[in-house]
Amino acid sequence: MALVILLAIVGRTVANEFQGIRRSKCQQSRDRTQIYEGVDNVLMKRLQALRTEMRTRTSTQSAELDAYIVPMYDEHQSQYLMESDQRIRFLTGFSGTAGEAVVLMRSAAFWTDERFLDQADQELNCAWRLFRTGERPSVAEYLLSELTPEARVGADPQLIPHPMWKALETDLTADYIRLVHINRNLVDMVWGSRRPAPRSGAIKVHPVRFAGERWDSKVARLRANLTALRCDGMIVTSLTEVAYLLNLRGSDIPHVPVFKAYLLVTHRELILYTNTSRETLGLKNHLKAHSCHNENCVQLREYGDVWRDLRTLAQHWHRLLVPSAVVFDTGASEAIHATLPRNIVFERPSPIIFLRAQKNQVERQGMRQAHIRDGVAMCEVLSRMEERFIAGDHITELSLAREIDQARKTQNNSEGVAFPTSVAYGVHSSRPNYTPSNRTNVELSEGMVLIDSGGQYEDGTTEVSRTLHLGEPTAEQIRAYTNVLIGMIRLSMLTFPENLKPAELDALARGPVWGSMNDYPHGTGHGIGSYSAVRESPISISYTAKQRFTFKEGYFFSNEPGYYKTGAFGIRLENVLEVVDTGKMHPTGHKFLAFQDVTLVPFEWKLIDRTLLSVPEKKWLNDYNSRIRQYVGSELKRKHKMDAFYWMMNKTRHVPEYVTEAEYNGAAKLHRDRVSIAGALTIVFLLGRFVYY
């Protein structure tokens, strides 16, 4: 044992130190105890206060900690957080939605993915080393490089998904480092009385006229799934799943209409754990909660009672389904697993994910209608923006974002925005997840403007990205935009057998961007909810994804290729697609499925090089523009928004589908260039173009 420890110490001594990505505003030093200079005083005091808590025996329940992990999650592993759960932002100043912090006595490190690296570099003070998620070092590798054997690493088990905990524990234990449960969150102790009170807004019933199915019918289908899996029940930890299953919505978390709760589903009872102070007569009537003593009503209990009940009721269960990680859902927390006897835990993706993803007929129609109204809002704002810009008005990123939000709120059935609206002008558009703030806000001038936004409506959730140009675009910008549009169209046009994996579609959208020796650092698509989360499992379109789940009729997902030239400009186009059944069968017996765009917002006419489009692509664009005129145009006229109507008509002009000799020669040269670059997959599509020519 002593020899192992000695070798481990020697290994760390000779190993290269992980310094992290070079910080643009920080001067690196060779002194390990003072790696960065220029540290912000307030944030530095918080960091030091956290280290004091790590040393304090009463805070950590036992010996002091050598490291403490702060994840970007709440107890339900939510994508968005209420203000009182923004522990990462409080500790580090980082305002993005993906990150993980590790604090040691003499160093601090932060991980985020490619989308947020620039943002983290600007927002983190110089006390933090910055690392890219998915690359070396991992959190475990960093801890191993910084700590000696017998060190103690602490974390709040309610905030860390069980799979992440087990993987980290395995890596650290192999080197004699302990990962320990710290049930009193140390960041909250530093935050103290300044921590905002948790939100506990009203819970409202989501009517069947929007949901399309009664909650007891959904529960019956879930119980049938549990019977097939030979489970006594399941614990539902995802807030969006609780809201979907019970046809309830809330306002606890910004942008996502959910409320904090756990739900226990067994064959004999349903128990909802939430803040009972917000019980109303309408809620009790909806859940049949009055004198509930059978399996077809819902018992209401206090939020914190779930831990006591899990320990007590577990004595009567043989098998309890505890959700595992799947696509965007991280599964249950380590705390849930630690509360239950290991022998009864059955880890499996939540069946609710798949029930929810396949929208019923009412939800499908609602999604289509919501996107029509969303198209109306976008046409109103974008037409007014161009008119004001030409008139010389001063428009900033933030002011335009506020106008977009306000336009959505005036639409029927509006429930606000689905995520913070991003307006990125010029260089800012080259940052894939840029969101304007008071510190970064700039005035719009001649150049690219990338707008990424979405709305929550009682009958659907929307997400749309459009890139516009104020002024005259360059040939490079036009070519880049057209390549992104071609990638989007290729995916939208596809007819395919139902057993096709979503990851296999990624090259369709990326092919034209790859052809320019570029790529975009985000997925091509993700599932989207109905008056729920804007990013929803199980659909993820990315060539790096290894998911076995396939498309089904009634799924909705995003189609969002992009192009980002660092320090110059960026382009992203995004539509939401509905999966539809063609009514035709593949020779193997599988259904042929296709996609239908439900987003109805015009593209930027001046950025499209129509000579680069094939005949089928031009036909698709004309059909798409025709649908915008039919559905959005009718609504604009009905609402007497004639300025927006004429703007929309100008942006949706007909594209001639014939090919002139000059266009043919230009397209042929483009094909030869793409064939030499993009590889075998692109060759298939380029040869297909010549058939139409």
Side-chain angles (χ1 to χ4, degrees), residues 586-647:
H586 189 272
T588 61
H590 293 287
K591 293 180 181 179
F592 266 115
L593 302 176
F595 300 134
Q596 176 67 61
D597 292 75
V598 294
T599 301
L600 296 172
V601 179
F603 297 107
E604 178 61 278
W605 178 267
K606 72 174 78 170
L607 284 170
I608 303 174
D609 184 345
R610 289 163 290 283
T611 67
L612 301 183
L613 302 179
S614 69
V615 171
E617 289 160 358
K618 291 177 182 177
K619 184 179 186 307
W620 180 94
L621 184 57
N622 284 330
D623 290 344
Y624 181 73
N625 286 339
S626 176
R627 293 178 61 233
I628 294 175
R629 290 182 171 207
Q630 177 183 354
Y631 295 109
V632 176
S634 297
E635 272 296 294
L636 288 170
K637 285 194 291 185
R638 188 183 67 81
K639 299 176 74 171
H640 305 291
K641 303 287 186 179
M642 298 312 296
D643 288 344
F645 174 80
Y646 290 123
W647 175 89

Side-chain angles (χ1 to χ4, degrees), residues 446-495:
E446 183 170 334
M448 287 283 200
V449 181
L450 195 165
I451 300 172
D452 183 24
S453 64
Q456 292 286 11
Y457 302 88
E458 287 186 288
D459 49 354
T461 299
T462 70
E463 182 176 18
V464 56
S465 296
R466 287 296 183 265
T467 304
L468 304 98
H469 195 285
L470 301 175
E472 291 300 320
T474 66
E476 178 189 18
Q477 291 170 336
I478 293 173
R479 186 183 181 94
Y481 183 97
T482 306
N483 280 335
V484 173
L485 178 61
I486 289 171
M488 167 182 269
I489 293 174
R490 283 182 179 176
L491 183 53
S492 295
M493 290 172 57
L494 188 68
T495 299

Side-chain angles (χ1 to χ4, degrees), residues 358 494-505 539 547-555 579-595:
Q358 192 165 23
L494 188 68
T495 299
F496 60 97
E498 62 182 340
N499 61 335
L500 183 70
K501 303 295 189 297
E504 296 169 352
L505 300 181
I539 295 302
Q547 302 298 338
R548 65 185 185 276
F549 311 109
T550 57
F551 291 105
K552 294 184 184 300
E553 180 187 9
Y555 279 15
V579 182
V580 297
D581 187 352
T582 65
K584 305 294 183 181
M585 299 298 290
H586 189 272
T588 61
H590 293 287
K591 293 180 181 179
F592 266 115
L593 302 176
F595 300 134

Side-chain angles (χ1 to χ4, degrees), residues 11 34 159 222 285 301 355 386 411 443 490 633 643 653:
Q34 193 177 1
L159 307 185
L222 174 60
N285 289 339
R301 296 185 186 172
L355 298 177
E386 287 197 1
Q411 303 301 315
E443 184 175 335
R490 283 182 179 176
D643 288 344
R653 285 171 286 179

Side-chain angles (χ1 to χ4, degrees), residues 181 261 405 424:
H181 291 189
D405 293 348

Side-chain angles (χ1 to χ4, degrees), residues 92-295:
T92 70
F94 176 70
S95 61
T97 57
E100 184 174 11
V102 174
V103 177
L104 296 89
M105 290 301 175
R106 295 167 65 87
S107 69
F110 189 82
W111 282 259
T112 190
D113 62 38
E114 185 72 36
R115 300 170 300 160
F116 295 102
L117 275 179
D118 288 344
Q119 180 178 345
D121 183 32
Q122 294 301 315
E123 292 182 340
L124 296 176
N125 67 43
C126 297
W128 295 89
R129 302 177 187 178
L130 180 59
F131 298 105
R132 184 184 283 105
T133 303
E135 296 184 0
R136 294 196 68 201
S138 64
V139 170
E141 288 171 332
Y142 181 77
L143 289 169
L144 291 172
S145 72
E146 293 286 310
L147 300 175
T148 58
E150 308 300 334
R152 290 165 45 86
V153 177
D156 185 340
Q158 290 195 50
L159 307 185
I160 297 187
H162 175 66
M164 183 186 300
W165 184 284
K166 295 305 294 183
L168 184 59
E169 186 176 52
T170 299
D171 291 340
L172 296 180
T173 303
D175 223 37
Y176 302 99
I177 294 176
R178 291 184 59 198
L179 180 61
V180 295
H181 291 189
I182 305 299
N183 295 319
R184 299 178 66 185
N185 191 282
L186 302 191
V187 175
D188 291 352
M189 297 184 71
V190 173
W191 214 338
S193 60
R194 295 167 295 172
R195 184 185 176 206
R199 293 188 63 176
S200 187
I203 301 173
K204 70 174 188 175
V205 173
H206 188 48
V208 175
R209 71 177 185 274
F210 295 127
E213 183 181 8
R214 293 169 55 91
W215 69 262
D216 46 6
S217 171
K218 295 179 181 180
V219 169
R221 290 199 288 146
L222 174 60
R223 282 174 167 154
N225 273 276
L226 295 175
T227 298
L229 295 170
R230 295 180 289 112
C231 289
D232 299 301
M234 75 170 289
I235 178 70
V236 186
T237 61
S238 164
L239 301 184
T240 55
E241 291 179 34
V242 173
Y244 163 80
L245 191 67
L246 297 180
N247 285 350
L248 296 173
R249 297 296 188 267
S251 58
D252 288 3
I253 294 180
H255 317 306
V256 187
V258 295
F259 56 98
K260 278 210 172 178
Y262 292 98
L263 178 65
L264 186 60
V265 181
T266 71
H267 296 291
R268 295 186 176 182
E269 57 188 351
L270 291 162
I271 308 175
L272 179 65
Y273 299 90
T274 189
N275 186 341
T276 55
S277 65
R278 49 188 174 184
E279 289 180 15
T280 63
L281 181 61
L283 176 65
K284 288 185 175 181
N285 289 339
H286 173 71
L287 298 176
K288 308 173 191 175
H290 298 285
S291 302
C292 176
H293 301 293
N294 61 66
E295 70 276 12

